[in-house]
Amino acid sequence: MNIAVLGDGAWGSAAAQHLAINKHNVTLWGPFPEYIIEMKNTQSNPKFLPKIIFDNNISFTPSLEEAVKTADILVLALPSQYIRNLLINIKPFFNNSKHILVDLAKGIENKTLMRMSEIVFEVLGNSKYTVLSGPSHAEEVIFNVPTAVVAASKDQTAAKIVQDTFFSPSFRVYYSNDPTGVELGGALKNVFAIAAGVVDGIKLGDNSKAALITRSIAEMSRLGKALGGNPETFSGLSGIGDLIVTCFSKHSRNRLVGEKLGAGYSLERILKELKMSVAEGVKTTLSTYQLAKKINIQTPIIDELYNALYQGKKPEVCIKDLMTRAAAAEIY
């Protein structure tokens, strides 16, 4: 296959490397022409994945038109808040009957509160859209650590093409007909990973973190079902699977944000220290909080994380208020 990976961050670069090793012809595009030229000259990505040398099957281009026109599959690998602008820019070169879109972005757009698929269909019209999600840190995928993900689409043919394209002995791909649930699982786990990081930062211990994650699963399922996802999806790779890895991994930027928040850092300082890296859960917390209020779904963990990130509430007080809510039955 001819594949354009649109985004030169850690996950985009790891996806490009993985697909090239799978013997596909890969073009990697990034939003900063000077850096793409540097990557081409050095065959590396020193900012995001300094430990790899890119495969020879990868070409690099600063031209979005060149990347899109020569591709059969377009991999959307920018952070979620930049996806709309990327789609607007590729629209003049996009062919609905030819191109298959594979979304790697995990988030909910601020202001519009739209999922990535909703943005795609608004900007590009009816498209062969597939979301690829699951517990898959780029830092491990590039070293062929056994990984399992799910490709979800309403277009079963597109989902199976994506499955076959990405599948390898170290990268197992399942397929699903529930892109809504898979998108929401991937987006919401980033929010709950920040909350799990807060528990780490306050140093509350294993009991607290296990309780937080378990109730996060309940909250994810409740909100996801209300938004049209299949409840069973949230027990799968893009729900519990991605939640587990993001809440515990040393690679998780979202968990790190929460850890620093719990340790007393301000959000402004945390984001400054992240530099070029993006923790999707920060902005997705705002979108998710507003979305839950809009459809009147109870999300106590999301509410308290919103208060900690955006209202200046101390994390210790957030934990206390969660623990002292009225006693209730365990409902999912």
Side-chain angles (χ1 to χ4, degrees):
M1 303 291 287
N2 295 315
I3 302 171
V5 178
L6 308 179
D8 58 2
W11 197 194
S13 295
Q17 178 78 343
H18 171 73
L19 291 164
I21 291 172
N22 265 11
K23 305 304 180 184
H24 299 291
N25 301 312
V26 180
T27 299
L28 183 60
W29 171 89
F32 304 104
E34 300 85 357
Y35 190 59
I36 278 290
I37 292 170
E38 179 184 343
M39 291 173 66
K40 178 180 179 180
N41 292 336
T42 62
Q43 288 293 110
S44 66
N45 188 343
K47 286 184 180 178
F48 297 106
L49 289 175
K51 295 182 180 181
I52 66 163
I53 298 297
F54 284 116
D55 188 271
N56 290 331
N57 278 357
I58 300 176
S59 60
F60 301 83
T61 181
S63 168
L64 195 56
E65 179 178 1
E66 177 186 340
V68 173
K69 282 187 172 180
T70 58
D72 305 305
I73 294 177
L74 304 177
V75 179
L76 307 178
L78 289 182
S80 59
Q81 304 303 322
Y82 299 99
I83 290 296
R84 179 180 294 274
N85 192 54
L86 174 63
L87 296 172
I88 290 170
N89 288 333
I90 70 173
K91 186 175 182 178
F93 324 118
F94 183 75
N95 186 330
N96 291 72
S97 62
K98 172 189 176 184
H99 289 123
I100 294 175
L101 291 166
V102 181
D103 171 41
L104 303 184
K106 298 178 178 181
I108 296 172
E109 189 177 41
N110 290 159
K111 296 182 180 179
T112 67
L113 309 183
M114 295 173 78
R115 303 187 313 276
M116 298 303 100
S117 60
E118 293 175 313
I119 302 171
V120 165
F121 293 131
E122 182 175 88
V123 176
L124 298 178
N126 189 30
S127 307
K128 300 175 184 178
Y129 172 87
T130 300
V131 54
L132 189 73
S133 190
S136 50
H137 282 302
E139 294 84 353
E140 296 186 359
V141 170
I142 58 167
F143 291 117
N144 299 316
V145 173
T147 300
V149 298
V150 56
S153 179
K154 292 296 185 183
D155 184 327
Q156 185 171 317
T157 300
K160 288 192 173 184
I161 290 173
V162 173
Q163 180 184 44
D164 292 342
T165 301
F166 279 82
F167 201 104
S168 80
S170 64
F171 199 80
R172 183 171 179 81
V173 186
Y174 294 83
Y175 74 89
S176 164
N177 64 357
D178 182 25
T180 298
V182 171
E183 283 182 304
L184 289 169
L188 295 175
K189 61 90 183 180
N190 285 328
V191 175
F192 296 123
I194 297 177
V198 170
V199 172
D200 291 338
I202 300 176
K203 301 186 185 305
L204 292 180
D206 296 337
N207 290 358
S208 302
K209 193 168 183 179
L212 184 281
I213 292 171
T214 304
R215 294 312 302 167
S216 293
I217 294 167
E219 205 160 296
M220 175 189 288
S221 300
R222 184 164 61 246
L223 181 58
K225 180 181 178 181
L227 291 169
N230 183 339
E232 293 183 2
T233 297
F234 303 104
S235 297
L237 289 165
S238 186
I240 291 176
D242 214 352
L243 182 67
I244 290 170
V245 77
T246 313
C247 287
F248 286 97
S249 176
K250 63 183 179 181
H251 302 303
S252 172
R253 292 182 295 274
N254 291 286
R255 191 204 62 78
L256 179 62
V257 167
E259 183 176 356
K260 289 183 176 294
L261 190 68
Y265 288 50
S266 68
L267 179 58
E268 181 181 11
R269 179 181 173 184
I270 295 168
L271 296 180
K272 184 177 181 180
E273 290 184 356
L274 281 177
K275 298 179 181 178
M276 291 288 290
S277 298
V278 175
E280 292 268 41
V282 174
K283 290 189 175 180
T284 302
T285 298
L286 176 60
S287 300
T288 306
Y289 172 82
Q290 294 172 340
L291 192 54
K293 293 292 176 282
K294 180 179 179 180
I295 63 175
N296 196 30
I297 296 295
Q298 288 191 354
T299 53
I301 296 172
I302 292 170
D303 294 355
E304 291 299 343
L305 184 60
Y306 166 82
N307 289 334
L309 287 172
Y310 292 101
Q311 300 298 317
K313 188 173 180 180
K314 290 187 176 181
E316 295 88 346
V317 179
C318 294
I319 296 289
K320 177 178 178 294
D321 287 349
L322 280 172
M323 290 298 293
T324 55
R325 293 171 67 243
E330 186 179 32
I331 299 174
Y332 286 84

